[in-house]
Amino acid sequence: METTDFIWMDGKLVRWEDAKIHVLTHALHYGSGVFEGIRFYETPKGAAIFRMQDHLARLFHSASTLELKTPFSADDIGKAVIETVRANKIKAGYIRPLIYYGYGKMGLVPGGSVNVSIAVWPWGAYLGHDAVKVKVSSFVRVHPKSFHPSAKVCGCYVNSINASLEAKREGFDEALMLDYKGFVAEGPGENVFMAKHGKLFTPSLGSILPGITRDSIIQIAKDEGISVAEKNMTVEELKSADEVFFTGTAAEVTAVGQIDDGRIGNGKIGPVTEKLKEIYLDVVHGRNKKYEGWLTVVS
Ligand code: PMP
């Protein structure tokens, strides 16, 4: 991976190579941490973080589901995120805040330290620029009563890792998971949309992460006069859509050209996806005044 100079750990910046923890860190054994993925982009006003407050709110919501209590407030972490971006002097990249149970007590009821870190690094297009090939996973999205679907809890990502490994092994770019009822849920790290006869549809909340990109695309689409409905959808419906695309902080807006062995449309990005992707990229790069409120300028 590409590295940067500094990582923020529990209140101070340390050099990248010195950002180390004990092997008996609770979260390493049990997945007892929560994280965020945030992007910042080069804009005409300098580096700007996309929807930082929304990401911080979700981070603290995630922390509450694991009873992780940190002395740092969301405001402190926001300042630390900005400090870390500034210190690393890169114009665009990915930000990874993490709050986790640290060292001091083993066993499933955590009781040791609670630690916080923030790393940033340059990260290009997560799924590449072309339409991706997707496999409907044999792994079902974790049952919403087995975890908090609205939280980004480290341990729950094993479900996403299994689905991703399976998809890659079978020659696909990405997985798509169904929920326990058999309806379309989401990708391992992305929400999914389909366009049919010019209208957009996306799975209802319940078994999925309420993605911040998903929310942005819903707002942008509505502002463009495109109707958006949240509903339960079957794989058959998705496979017969005119267009399918993923949304996510890392994946941004990525067209899906194939699901299992069936092509979507002509296998390339379709007009609705292309339009939304273009607007989204304009928004995050500060080229669209209407959504300037979503950007926190750093430099
Ligand atoms: N679903 C899952 C499981 C994810 O991990 C992510 C990435 N955070 C998303 C959806 C997309 O969410 P966002 O747009 O907030 O990055």
Side-chain angles (χ1 to χ4, degrees), residues 126-147:
Y126 181 65
L127 293 173
H129 294 288
D130 297 330
V132 292
K133 288 196 317 192
V134 168
K135 178 192 161 58
V136 176
S137 187
S138 69
F139 293 94
V140 169
R141 191 77 188 125
V142 187
H143 192 291
K145 287 193 173 160
S146 299
F147 81 130

Side-chain angles (χ1 to χ4, degrees), residues 204-217:
S204 318
L205 299 181
S207 288
I208 61 168
L209 185 80
I212 290 167
T213 321
R214 174 185 183 274
D215 178 72
S216 308
I217 288 297

Side-chain angles (χ1 to χ4, degrees), residues 56-76:
L56 293 175
R58 190 170 64 186
L59 179 68
F60 276 77
H61 163 69
S62 299
S64 73
T65 71
L66 263 189
E67 300 179 27
L68 275 157
K69 291 184 187 72
T70 155
F72 298 106
S73 65
D75 198 40
D76 295 333

Side-chain angles (χ1 to χ4, degrees), residues 35-37 55 58 141 152 157 160 186-191 209-214 247-250:
F35 68 99
E36 266 307 313
H55 282 284
R58 190 170 64 186
R141 191 77 188 125
K152 280 178 77 72
Y157 276 82
S160 290
E186 61 187 338
E190 307 87 6
N191 293 116
L209 185 80
I212 290 167
T213 321
R214 174 185 183 274
T247 61
T249 297

